[in-house]
């Protein structure tokens, strides 16, 4: 479902016309006044979220299942 949402976000800006398409995902990177926000969103999505998931999955693969379940169960306490 994440792939479908990503495809929808990219095509939403090219299919719509009018003022609302200015804030669609593709136009955020081309509009000079919105580029900083677009790169901040891209950084947050790609680096901090995706990289965190890769590191967490790798690290949890190296501990026992009992330790992993305790780590995942107590994760909301630290968030």
């Amino acid at each position: 479902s994440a792939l479908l949402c990503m495809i929808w976000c990219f095509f939403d800006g090219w299919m719509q016309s009018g003022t609302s398409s200015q804030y669609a995902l593709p136009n955020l990177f081309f509009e000079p006044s919105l580029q900083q926000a677009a790169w901040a969103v891209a950084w947050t999505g790609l680096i901090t979220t995706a990289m965190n998931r890769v590191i967490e999955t790798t690290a949890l693969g190296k501990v026992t299942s009992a330790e992993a379940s305790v780590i995942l169960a107590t994760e909301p306490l630290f968030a």
Side-chain angles (χ1 to χ4, degrees):
S1 67
L3 178 65
L4 293 176
C5 291
M6 183 181 71
I7 293 169
W8 176 45
C9 285
F10 280 119
F11 285 113
D12 189 36
W14 286 305
M15 295 174 63
Q16 285 185 347
S17 60
T19 59
S20 66
S21 66
Q22 176 186 0
Y23 299 107
L25 188 60
N27 291 334
L28 287 177
F29 289 100
F30 299 126
E31 180 68 32
S33 64
L34 300 173
Q35 281 183 345
Q36 185 175 5
W39 287 112
V41 169
W43 175 265
T44 302
L46 295 175
I47 303 301
T48 60
T49 304
M51 186 179 272
N52 178 39
R53 180 54 59 196
V54 170
I55 293 170
E56 183 179 7
T57 303
T58 304
L60 287 175
K62 296 182 180 189
V63 298
T64 66
S65 59
E67 292 172 336
S69 64
V70 170
I71 291 170
L72 291 175
T74 57
E75 186 177 8
L77 297 175
F78 306 111

